[in-house]
Amino acid sequence: DVVMTQSPLSLPVTLGQPASISCRSSQSLVSSDGNTYLNWFQQRPGQSPRRLIYKVSNRDSGVPDRFSGSGSGTDFTLKISRVEAEDVGIYYCMQGTYWPPWTFGQGTKVEIK
Amino acid sequence: EVQLVESGGGLVQPGGSLRLSCAASGFTFSSYWMTWVRQAPGKGLEWVANIKQDGSEKYYVDSVKGRFTISRDNAKNSLYLQMNSLRAEDTAVYYCARGRGLEYWGQGTLVTVSS
């Protein structure tokens, strides 16, 4: 199984400042079709998860442009350009290249300092 | 608007069974893979199972193989998860999600396995 490792696991941030979350996979996520199936999800306190980013860098509809995804191969990053109060929650990466199983990272908790 | 509404959770004794349902609306259900994901209390997300549009392919996480069965009824726009031989470690909120990319999620239903 592909292991997804996120860092940090806890990220205190100041409102208006940038934040960055790393996600590393145990093997390259480049698929035989040329796509890289790496998604990012946000789970606000008490809510269901919501997809933010698909295939590394594509924002889902309605996702603010302060969220961006980047990376390739085994190293990926979710960046928030300026953290707002509504961004508090847990962020997960997930790979969908080598399945089954589809695998998630452990989650990174973003909180306001 | 895409909506996914799970139901069927509850308290069950170890070794017991439950059947979860997910009612889908706002999209052509028969055109999408569907997925179950769970989250144990205070823990992260775990992919559980998914099923192809016509039900011809089904995949499970190792820990539920032989105990859980995923199915769907495209005429009723519904997804199901039959859970047998439940264990304490199956205690979690179970979410249904659209697609293999999990582009939309339901609100979840809590399954508690305890004596």
Side-chain angles (χ1 to χ4, degrees), chain A residues 6-94:
Chain A
Q6 291 183 227
S7 63
L9 299 184
S10 178
L11 183 57
V13 295
T14 301
L15 287 173
Q17 293 301 302
S20 181
I21 300 170
S22 171
C23 175
R24 290 183 173 172
S25 55
S26 58
Q27 60 190 92
S28 173
L29 297 185
V30 179
S31 174
S32 56
D33 65 8
N35 290 306
T36 300
Y37 295 98
L38 185 284
N39 297 344
W40 288 96
F41 299 87
Q42 175 195 59
Q43 187 174 30
R44 291 171 171 154
Q47 294 188 13
S48 303
R50 163 201 184 194
R51 196 176 73 176
L52 297 176
I53 302 283
Y54 62 96
K55 288 194 284 186
V56 181
S57 59
N58 298 276
R59 265 192 309 274
D60 275 282
S61 175
V63 175
D65 60 8
R66 64 179 181 275
F67 290 93
S68 63
S70 63
S72 63
T74 61
D75 289 346
F76 305 93
T77 302
L78 176 70
K79 292 183 179 177
I80 310 173
S81 59
R82 294 173 303 279
V83 172
E84 298 188 6
E86 65 179 18
D87 301 335
V88 165
I90 303 176
Y91 292 79
Y92 298 91
C93 60
M94 185 200 80

Side-chain angles (χ1 to χ4, degrees), chain B residues 34-84:
Chain B
M34 293 296 295
T35 300
W36 287 101
V37 176
R38 67 184 177 183
Q39 185 171 36
K43 302 297 184 182
L45 302 173
E46 180 182 38
W47 171 84
V48 174
N50 59 17
I51 184 169
K52 195 176 179 179
Q53 291 91 329
D54 61 358
S56 60
E57 294 181 37
K58 303 175 184 181
Y59 300 96
Y60 301 91
V61 68
D62 283 349
S63 59
V64 308
K65 282 180 183 174
R67 300 188 299 123
F68 289 12
T69 302
I70 189 171
S71 62
R72 64 192 297 160
D73 185 334
N74 287 341
K76 294 183 177 180
N77 292 336
S78 293
L79 175 71
Y80 306 102
L81 187 66
Q82 177 67 43
M83 304 186 296
N84 298 330

Side-chain angles (χ1 to χ4, degrees), chain B:
Chain B
E1 179 194 5
V2 172
Q3 284 200 326
L4 298 167
V5 180
E6 301 93 336
S7 60
L11 175 63
V12 61
Q13 291 188 339
S17 298
L18 273 180
R19 188 195 195 205
L20 305 184
S21 300
C22 171
S25 61
F27 65 100
T28 304
F29 181 75
S30 58
S31 296
Y32 290 87
W33 283 74
M34 293 296 295
T35 300
W36 287 101
V37 176
R38 67 184 177 183
Q39 185 171 36
K43 302 297 184 182
L45 302 173
E46 180 182 38
W47 171 84
V48 174
N50 59 17
I51 184 169
K52 195 176 179 179
Q53 291 91 329
D54 61 358
S56 60
E57 294 181 37
K58 303 175 184 181
Y59 300 96
Y60 301 91
V61 68
D62 283 349
S63 59
V64 308
K65 282 180 183 174
R67 300 188 299 123
F68 289 12
T69 302
I70 189 171
S71 62
R72 64 192 297 160
D73 185 334
N74 287 341
K76 294 183 177 180
N77 292 336
S78 293
L79 175 71
Y80 306 102
L81 187 66
Q82 177 67 43
M83 304 186 296
N84 298 330
S85 303
L86 282 161
R87 306 167 179 167
E89 54 265 34
D90 296 318
T91 294
V93 174
Y94 286 73
Y95 297 99
C96 70
R98 192 183 84 172
R100 288 176 289 181
L102 313 182
E103 52 262 32
Y104 292 97
W105 298 60
Q107 87 290 347
T109 187
L110 176 62
V111 172
T112 303
V113 184
S114 174
S115 55

